[in-house]
Amino acid sequence: MKSEKNNPLEEGLRIRKIADKNTLVIFGATGDLTKRKLMPALFSLFKQGFIPKEFDIIAFARSENTDDSFRKVVEKAIASEETSSDSIEPFLKRISYFRGAYSETDDFKRLKKRLEEIDNNVLFYLATPPSAFDNIIHNLGAVDMAFLQDHWTRVIIEKPFGRDLDSARMLNETIQKVFNEDQIYRIDHYLGKETVQNLLVFRFANTIFEPIWNRRYIDHIQITVSEKIGIEGRGGFFEETGILRDIVQNHMMQLLCLVAMEPPSTTEPNAVRDEKVKVLHAVRSLGPDIDENVKRGQYGEGSIDGNNVKGYRDEENVSPQSKTETYVALRLMIENWRWAGVPFYLRCGKRLPKKVTEIAIYFKKPPLLMFGHNVEKEAMANVLTVTIQPDEGISLSFDSKIPGYRTRIRPVTMEFRYGTSFGQVPPDAYERLLLDAMIGDPTLFTRADENEQAWKIIDPILTKWQEGSDIPVHSYRAGSWGPKKVDDWIEKQGRLWRRL
Amino acid sequence: MTIPGKKVPVDKIEKHLHEIWEQKASELKQDLVRSSTINFCVTCELSLLDKILELLHHVVPYHPGRVVVAAFDEHNTSEQITAHVYTYCHEKADQKRICSEMIILHFGKNSRQHLTGLILPLILPNLPLYLWWMLSCDQLMDYDSLLKSTNRLIVNSPFLRAVDMETLVETVLSVEEIKLSDYAWGRITNWREAMAHYIDPDSLQHIQQVTLFSSGENPALDAWLFVGWLASRLSWTPKGILSGRLTFSHKDQRIDVLFENKERDNQHLLAVEIKVGPDQLLFRSQQNSIQILKNDQFLASIPLTTDPGQILSNELDVLFQDRIYLQALEKLSELFHFKKGIRKDEEQHHTY
């Protein structure tokens, strides 16, 4: 193994390191995630030479398959107009199929034997439903695969990481019995997105924003994750999960942390993650004020793209009396010196008019008395918007005089768009995260305490909803921007949802 | 030679570009985006213009902006300067057409003094100016106003004569404001990566011999830069310089650097062989990759970027001064001074 000593030759090299040679074991290899995300990402990394040619994939799953039949599935998943069979073939050759059951220790013994023959670093990827996590981790420990002589081992775990605080803690305990924390990579693909990473650069590499990034200048912040799609046939899963667990606990909490965190002293993984955890610690407990600060909704029938769509309760595998939320809006307060008194509004929903994820920073309005009362009414607050998807970029709106003899004011925007400013296509989030895990950089992965702290914010809401059957689930028409009651709720606080 | 674009008077370049944009916007149904992220100015001999434009057409989709190419015709003694303008667009997956603007200035032998005066007003404000200088460095020093406005100067050291390299090293090291990068430095990036990644840091202090195989009659400048980099990173001190062999020392260790040249069409680094203790590591280029062998056993391979457009595009990604490059140059300068002082008698026998 290479020494961990500082290497003077590495200094100044801009292009990232290349992953060590390794064997990737994917549990849940026949699942949708492997087909749609992992294999295309791995193929792209392989093509670009970011992972060495001496790299193997062991596809572990329960169903019957051969190497050839599984490779055909992968080939179909990664084939595109730009890829020729010549370029796919070397990648496919690296894949072998391993039939096994997650609960069978004997199957893991066979896997160990295979890995011993390959004699390589090993990255385990748990791309299975969470119900399989326990068995897989237990068996990896039982057959002594968590630590190898002369090679590293790491494990990537897909979300959902727990379904509440207790289960997250238990899962952490289970994994930490077998692996050390520095071997565990909890993946949240939002952190692999270029615009999310740019948030740190935007905030801390520019002088003009940071001095006004606080309660003195910011009125409130809105973080929105809006999806046009419904539950896409996953009724059973969504009934158990709901959007609070599915999106807010992980993706939105990460965005909140990156917007609100203090500058880390370095970009070392733990320096960044420490600052994120501090934000979560500073979020005021919702305690008895949950009803005041959290609103939920559920889509009814409506229209999307000119097509009639079903209401949530009419979807397959969904109870006609379901109270599962497909929309949620929260007001969180961060109790620290920087953010005291600034509300953070988080809203996310399914079957909304368009797919967009963005963070909008609303600055305080200036007095503007010198322009007269009518003009003051017309004036808007400055809004800085960071669009995470789909058209990644940053825009700043400010007021400008409409040309003419009268003083009339209208907001105009200054825009930066990744797509038109940089020709490079940013790497897919999974590409970035898989490569980071192979390199051993956990910065963009969630640490155990971070995950548990996020659950501490969400858990009381789940408990309250579970206990209080009288807490309303506001209905909204599919294709609208959410329940009217939630619009009224924010208006009563003197604010409006951003029109997206 | 036919220069592409619309021929326009040199004092009406902006006006004609404006008209082209207006016309384009009315003709095209697709979303048209005039994108400006950089100013990119290239100076070259007229004979290279076709090649340069072909290269630029590969680069501007990644770095859209205003491109000014100043082409010098040594055979044209007139004082006339001509200007051609056009827009270069590429379509993205979302149907948006991202467009850059290209300005080509054609200078005769006796009109080169107008270069700065013509280029400076064409620079878009608040955007960085990259100047890719493909003429000799002696000429570069005549354009100090242009240099002062330049954020990053890119040279192509294989185009330079040895004397240029020395001049460049000394000039750059004396003017801090110029942020210099080198096309040849970009070309050895993958070699540096391979070395950094596959030599154990513990064994770096035990390197005994480095042999650089490069193409051409003399050691390629890539090879010199590589030696400068290695010697600066590992704090080697020059001790001797003889034809085809350099000697360095570090602590009590003697390090020999040998140059082996092989005839090939291009002037690139082909392989680097390192002797460390009992081991021999070989890094060799092989079909767009660098293969790494330890004691003749295959260890790994990493991609080698050979596409000139990609190398140039990488250079345009950065604005800061690459300290490591400067340190490599400093070490080369030390080597040149060492050679002048200690081995003056042999100087004329060696070209580098």
Side-chain angles (χ1 to χ4, degrees), chain A residues 2 7 11 15 419-421, chain B residues 35 37 193 196-197 233 323:
Chain A
K2 256 180 84 171
N7 184 346
E11 222 182 310
I15 298 170
T420 48
S421 292
Chain B
S35 188
T37 58
E193 282 180 328
H197 202 73
R233 300 315 310 142
R323 190 173 47 83

Side-chain angles (χ1 to χ4, degrees), chain A residues 2-204:
Chain A
K2 256 180 84 171
S3 155
E4 294 298 318
K5 200 173 162 183
N6 271 349
N7 184 346
L9 300 186
E10 282 183 355
E11 222 182 310
L13 280 171
R14 287 189 280 118
I15 298 170
R16 57 184 307 139
K17 289 178 190 173
I18 296 138
D20 292 334
K21 56 181 192 169
N22 68 85
T23 299
L24 174 66
V25 180
I26 304 176
F27 296 104
T30 49
D32 196 41
L33 178 75
T34 308
K35 251 188 299 185
R36 278 194 312 117
K37 294 290 180 188
L38 302 186
M39 287 301 177
L42 289 164
F43 177 54
S44 174
L45 290 172
F46 186 80
K47 259 194 316 186
Q48 295 175 73
F50 281 112
I51 45 181
K53 292 197 167 62
E54 312 70 46
F55 161 76
D56 300 290
I57 299 172
I58 297 180
F60 190 117
R62 285 172 295 196
S63 51
E64 195 149 343
N65 257 311
T66 61
D67 288 352
D68 280 345
S69 65
F70 185 74
R71 284 172 187 165
K72 282 202 177 98
V73 175
V74 175
E75 186 174 5
K76 207 173 156 191
I78 60 178
S80 68
E81 280 172 18
E82 296 92 51
T83 47
S84 64
S85 56
D86 285 357
S87 66
I88 292 177
E89 203 50 39
F91 176 72
L92 293 177
K93 275 186 185 163
R94 313 309 310 177
I95 304 172
S96 57
Y97 188 78
F98 190 101
R99 191 181 175 204
Y102 307 132
S103 55
E104 286 299 321
T105 309
D106 284 347
D107 291 340
F108 282 74
K109 282 180 185 160
R110 285 194 297 119
L111 176 66
K112 187 183 180 185
K113 202 171 165 215
R114 170 87 72 89
L115 289 171
E116 279 169 351
E117 283 162 13
I118 297 172
D119 188 27
N120 208 348
N121 300 308
V122 183
L123 177 60
F124 298 108
Y125 198 120
L126 272 59
T128 60
S131 54
F133 289 176
D134 268 5
N135 277 334
I136 296 169
I137 297 292
H138 170 79
N139 276 324
L140 287 175
V143 302
D144 236 356
M145 262 198 284
F147 296 92
L148 302 173
Q149 199 160 13
D150 298 330
H151 295 301
W152 54 252
T153 47
R154 295 175 191 138
V155 58
I156 301 180
I157 300 175
E158 263 294 334
K159 82 172 183 82
F161 201 83
R163 52 172 288 108
D164 52 26
L165 180 60
D166 284 345
S167 59
R169 276 180 177 153
M170 275 169 62
L171 185 54
N172 275 332
E173 275 171 28
T174 305
I175 300 170
Q176 285 168 342
K177 268 184 204 159
V178 176
F179 291 94
N180 290 336
E181 178 62 27
D182 63 6
Q183 293 175 286
I184 305 166
Y185 290 67
R186 296 170 192 83
I187 200 164
D188 181 340
H189 74 271
Y190 256 53
L191 289 177
K193 289 179 185 290
E194 199 75 24
T195 347
V196 174
Q197 292 160 45
N198 188 41
L199 265 171
L200 291 186
V201 176
F202 180 74
R203 286 191 55 198
F204 303 129

Side-chain angles (χ1 to χ4, degrees), chain A residues 224-237:
Chain A
T224 306
V225 176
S226 138
E227 289 185 350
K228 204 159 151 182
I229 56 168
I231 52 172
E232 305 289 287
R234 298 188 307 153
F237 163 78

Side-chain angles (χ1 to χ4, degrees), chain B residues 15-262:
Chain B
K15 179 178 175 286
H16 284 276
L17 273 172
H18 186 74
E19 282 174 11
I20 289 175
W21 283 119
E22 280 190 337
Q23 192 187 350
K24 246 188 156 52
S26 63
E27 280 172 6
L28 291 165
K29 285 180 185 163
Q30 299 105 317
D31 282 345
L32 180 90
V33 180
R34 177 187 180 180
S35 188
S36 299
T37 58
I38 59 167
N39 291 290
F40 188 22
C41 180
V42 185
T43 63
C44 65
E45 299 287 354
L46 183 67
S47 56
L48 286 174
L49 183 63
D50 283 346
K51 276 186 181 172
I52 296 292
L53 289 178
E54 194 187 328
L55 182 65
L56 290 172
H57 291 166
H58 281 104
V59 172
V60 290
Y62 298 98
H63 299 278
R66 175 168 284 191
V67 180
V68 184
V69 182
F72 291 89
D73 184 0
E74 282 301 311
H75 307 294
N76 180 348
T77 52
S78 82
E79 289 190 10
Q80 203 189 352
I81 303 164
T82 62
H84 288 73
V85 294
Y86 64 101
T87 55
Y88 185 78
C89 302
H90 76 285
E91 197 168 315
K92 290 175 70 83
D94 58 5
Q95 303 290 304
K96 273 187 184 152
R97 289 171 64 84
I98 310 297
C99 301
S100 295
E101 44 196 14
M102 313 286 292
I103 301 165
I104 301 167
L105 299 171
H106 174 198
F107 290 85
K109 193 178 175 181
N110 295 321
S111 58
R112 56 173 67 226
Q113 73 274 20
H114 299 295
L115 177 72
T116 305
L118 272 178
I119 288 181
L120 288 184
L122 292 174
I123 302 305
L124 298 174
N126 292 327
L127 290 176
L129 170 62
Y130 290 82
L131 173 61
W132 188 16
W133 194 266
M134 299 189 66
L135 303 169
S136 93
C137 274
D138 304 346
Q139 293 175 40
L140 175 64
M141 301 315 150
D142 296 336
Y143 302 104
D144 57 337
S145 302
L146 180 60
L147 277 181
K148 274 182 190 159
S149 301
T150 299
N151 297 87
R152 194 169 173 90
L153 169 68
I154 305 169
V155 294
N156 192 5
S157 57
F159 274 61
L160 307 174
R161 290 170 294 126
V163 64
D164 283 327
M165 194 67 190
E166 287 194 49
T167 311
L168 191 67
V169 169
E170 286 178 11
T171 309
V172 167
L173 295 179
S174 66
V175 186
E176 278 183 19
E177 295 84 47
I178 305 178
K179 299 198 171 44
L180 181 79
S181 67
D182 188 340
Y183 194 70
W185 180 248
R187 213 165 34 217
I188 65 166
T189 301
N190 296 135
W191 291 93
R192 291 163 56 215
E193 282 180 328
M195 285 275 293
H197 202 73
Y198 289 100
I199 297 188
D200 195 304
D202 287 333
S203 57
L204 288 172
Q205 302 306 321
H206 308 294
I207 293 178
Q208 297 145 2
Q209 187 173 300
V210 180
T211 310
L212 296 120
F213 299 87
S214 56
S215 52
E217 284 178 19
N218 296 313
L221 266 154
D222 294 18
W224 278 98
L225 277 175
F226 191 84
V227 172
W229 168 70
L230 203 54
S232 63
R233 300 315 310 142
L234 302 178
S235 310
W236 293 350
T237 310
K239 287 291 172 194
I241 180 164
L242 280 168
S243 184
R245 176 188 289 264
L246 307 173
T247 312
F248 292 91
S249 75
H250 180 61
K251 297 181 180 164
D252 293 330
Q253 179 78 42
R254 171 194 159 120
I255 306 112
D256 290 313
V257 176
L258 310 174
F259 292 106
E260 296 282 342
N261 307 316
K262 289 184 176 174

Side-chain angles (χ1 to χ4, degrees), chain A residues 231-241 310-322 324:
Chain A
I231 52 172
E232 305 289 287
R234 298 188 307 153
F237 163 78
F238 205 80
E239 275 286 89
E240 288 295 306
T241 312
K310 286 180 195 168
Y312 177 71
R313 290 178 183 180
D314 298 325
E315 301 267 17
E316 209 177 320
N317 296 325
V318 171
S319 157
Q321 286 84 39
S322 172
T324 301

